[in-house]
Amino acid sequence: MNPHIWYPYTQAKTAPDPIEVKSAKGLWLELADGQKIADCISSWWVNLHGHAHPKIVAAIAHQAAQLEHVIFAGFTHAPAQELASQLVARLPENLTRVFYSDNGSTAVEIALKMAYQYWANIGKHRGRFMSFEGAYHGDMFGTMAVGTRSIFSDVFKDLLFEVDFCPYPDTYDGDLDILEKEANCLNIIRQNLSDRPNSYAGIIIEPLVQGVAGMRICRSQFLQQLRELATEFDTFLIFDEVMTGFGRTGADFACNRAHVKPDLICLSKGITGGFLPLAVTVATERIYGSFYSDDPTKTLYHGHSYTANPLGCVAALASLKLLTQNQPIYTQMEVWHRQYLIELANKYPQLSKFRVMGTISAFDVNNSEKSGYLNNVGREIRHHAIAHGVLLRPLGNVLYLMPPYCITESELAWVYQQIDRVLDKVLGDSSAE
Ligand SMILES: *Cc1c(COP(=O)(O)O)cnc(C)c1O
């Protein structure tokens, strides 16, 4: 192993050596030793249509020979213009102004800046954000601040601005308390908004699914009521759809599935089909209008070297086309997931909180350890899954699947069969100890 690489989210001292991947095609990764494993987490949630999709490969190759990159201030190019139009056409009609960047954390950071500066631009001061327990919005300081305080951000906590966190009303199959949880949460939000009038720049949420927190799912009805509160108290509703965008929730965007129009939306991960880093933050005319001025201090002074990279933009255009063609698959995957989850539920009493949202399925694996990111059962499952030809990366004791949309029903059935074998081993072993 090359000793010079410092890997992300990895404690080098205790982690096993990283596995070398030689190539990938569709659902399958081919390892350096020739073994094939099914990529059931879409490679950190970015891949949509399978690896090395020829349509995206061709689009990038063609564009690379034409214009690989150009400064995006004072200059523009056709792929960025075309992509902006296509995104606006698919998003709720109030979202009309597309700001490009290059990763999910940045897309969120920009949304926070836009919301904050909007109020400054119109001569008011609103310095607070509201967010949700369990939230993850990225690894930069602003995004860490609006994320739940966790082992990821604890060491930096003195540097993070103050945020009011509300409970996220997560639900699962057979949850009897959901209405009560939602009412409680909405009460807290209303209370915050009335206790501190005119002080919130915005409320940020991962709509329908909190990813990193362990695929925690909330209902559309909750998001609709949240929208009403934000409107009533005139603060911005920011949807971080970095993970939920582009078909993940069974609709093109979570906002469309929930029938909720946010004031700002952040998109990244799946945007290029998993080929290249790209992100957008899309704002309303109202927000954009406050920056549109003869006064230079009202400008959004933000930008990155690779903003609106043309290769990323053409990959995104090719991916959007495939998304339209693949719509039946990502909308029907929910039904496939459910039928296999039932089998696991019937077999293993240690599993609970089964939940499905579009292409994502998840459940909790209960062992004697505390639930959460540091629970070791996830690491054990990951290890055995590789031996069974499946890439899984449980979040603590939450096992989830997020396959690319190219997966066939029989491949998915096979994946669940392997999960059954892995659970049999892991849970069987632990009860024998
Ligand atoms: C992954 C993720 C981010 C951060 O995106 P990066 O590209 O990893 O910086 C932000 N928000 C959500 C909801 C995410 O899932």
Side-chain angles (χ1 to χ4, degrees):
M1 282 301 145
N2 185 315
H4 302 294
I5 302 176
W6 189 337
Y7 289 92
Y9 279 98
T10 302
Q11 174 46 262
K13 187 164 184 192
T14 52
D17 278 346
I19 300 165
E20 193 168 325
V21 181
K22 189 167 61 186
S23 65
K25 186 86 197 142
L27 177 66
W28 301 91
L29 304 177
E30 188 180 342
L31 308 185
D33 68 5
Q35 193 198 347
K36 291 204 168 148
I37 54 175
D39 183 356
C40 297
I41 58 164
S42 297
S43 281
W44 250 350
W45 316 349
V46 300
N47 192 287
L48 294 191
H49 313 292
H51 291 273
H53 194 290
K55 287 272 162 44
I56 303 180
V57 171
I60 294 171
H62 182 259
Q63 183 61 39
Q66 184 92 14
L67 172 67
E68 83 300 337
H69 190 65
V70 68
I71 177 175
F72 202 64
F75 289 88
T76 191
H77 49 79
Q81 299 195 52
E82 179 59 26
L83 180 59
S85 302
Q86 290 201 19
L87 288 172
V88 166
R90 284 168 182 259
L91 289 167
E93 73 276 2
N94 63 320
L95 295 169
T96 51
R97 298 288 177 169
V98 178
F99 192 95
Y100 282 104
S101 61
D102 50 23
N103 67 79
S105 306
T106 302
V108 174
E109 192 85 10
I110 290 165
L112 299 175
K113 280 184 160 184
M114 284 176 174
Y116 187 94
Q117 193 178 339
Y118 166 86
W119 299 106
N121 282 351
I122 65 162
K124 298 189 174 165
H125 174 72
R126 292 202 181 187
R128 291 187 87 82
F129 286 94
M130 217 185 302
S131 179
F132 291 83
E133 289 162 11
Y136 175 80
H137 297 294
D139 290 343
M140 298 190 307
F141 279 98
T143 59
M144 280 195 291
V146 292
T148 213
R149 300 295 180 266
S150 74
I151 187 172
F152 302 167
S153 60
D154 258 356
V155 64
F156 305 111
K157 63 179 183 292
D158 293 348
L159 298 178
L160 304 180
F161 56 77
E162 208 183 309
V163 169
D164 299 311
F165 292 96
C166 311
Y168 190 88
D170 72 304
T171 190
Y172 43 84
D173 297 354
D175 180 9
L176 299 175
D177 303 324
I178 184 58
L179 294 177
E180 205 178 312
K181 280 190 276 189
E182 286 176 1
N184 173 50
C185 172
L186 291 161
N187 274 338
I188 293 171
I189 296 168
R190 174 176 288 280
Q191 197 65 50
N192 284 344
L193 289 165
S194 34
D195 283 354
R196 300 175 185 273
N198 303 319
S199 55
Y200 287 100
I203 305 172
I204 182 164
I205 189 167
E206 292 158 86
L208 293 182
V209 189
Q210 269 190 338
V212 173
M215 301 302 155
R216 297 170 81 208
I217 286 171
C218 76
R219 302 193 314 153
S220 299
Q221 290 92 325
F222 168 71
L223 296 172
Q224 288 157 9
Q225 288 170 281
L226 179 63
R227 171 71 270 181
E228 281 171 25
L229 274 180
T231 304
E232 182 185 334
F233 287 88
D234 192 26
T235 189
F236 293 127
L237 182 58
I238 305 170
F239 273 11
D240 175 356
E241 291 218 40
V242 168
M243 188 276 279
T244 53
F246 304 100
R248 277 294 162 211
T249 65
D252 49 1
F253 299 100
C255 58
N256 287 339
R257 176 162 178 156
H259 302 290
V260 172
K261 296 175 187 162
D263 301 290
L264 286 156
I265 194 168
C266 314
L267 303 170
S268 185
K269 292 207 165 94
I271 191 168
T272 63
F275 275 68
L276 288 163
L278 187 72
V280 295
T281 309
V282 189
T284 59
E285 281 308 296
R286 176 183 174 192
I287 292 171
Y288 181 78
S290 78
F291 290 77
Y292 189 82
S293 165
D294 292 319
D295 176 355
T297 66
K298 294 188 177 175
T299 309
L300 183 62
Y301 288 110
H302 190 111
H304 298 277
S305 328
Y306 280 93
T307 284
N309 174 256
L311 304 179
C313 291
V314 296
L317 287 165
S319 176
L320 278 178
K321 203 165 167 186
L322 292 169
L323 198 66
T324 307
Q325 290 163 7
N326 288 344
Q327 196 202 356
I329 300 177
Y330 70 76
T331 49
Q332 83 197 13
M333 210 186 286
E334 187 156 332
V335 178
W336 297 354
H337 277 312
R338 284 196 185 282
Q339 95 199 33
Y340 302 119
L341 282 181
I342 288 171
E343 291 173 26
L344 292 178
N346 289 336
K347 185 160 172 193
Y348 297 100
Q350 300 95 326
L351 309 182
S352 65
K353 297 192 176 171
F354 290 88
R355 48 206 188 262
V356 181
M357 179 60 74
T359 66
I360 305 166
S361 73
F363 52 84
D364 291 12
V365 182
N366 304 297
N367 60 359
S368 51
E369 291 172 43
K370 198 164 156 268
S371 291
Y373 191 80
L374 295 180
N375 188 302
N376 283 303
V377 75
R379 213 175 314 157
E380 236 184 296
I381 289 172
R382 186 162 137 194
H383 172 74
H384 288 292
I386 294 281
H388 284 82
V390 181
L391 170 55
L392 300 173
R393 193 182 163 90
L395 295 153
N397 63 318
V398 174
L399 181 53
Y400 72 91
L401 287 180
M402 195 192 286
Y405 310 157
C406 65
I407 195 168
T408 63
E409 189 175 6
S410 58
E411 283 171 330
L412 192 66
W414 177 84
V415 166
Y416 274 98
Q417 233 171 42
Q418 305 315 305
I419 290 177
D420 182 5
R421 292 195 179 136
V422 169
L423 289 172
D424 193 57
K425 183 137 188 59
V426 170
L427 298 174
D429 282 358
S430 69
S431 58
E433 269 165 21

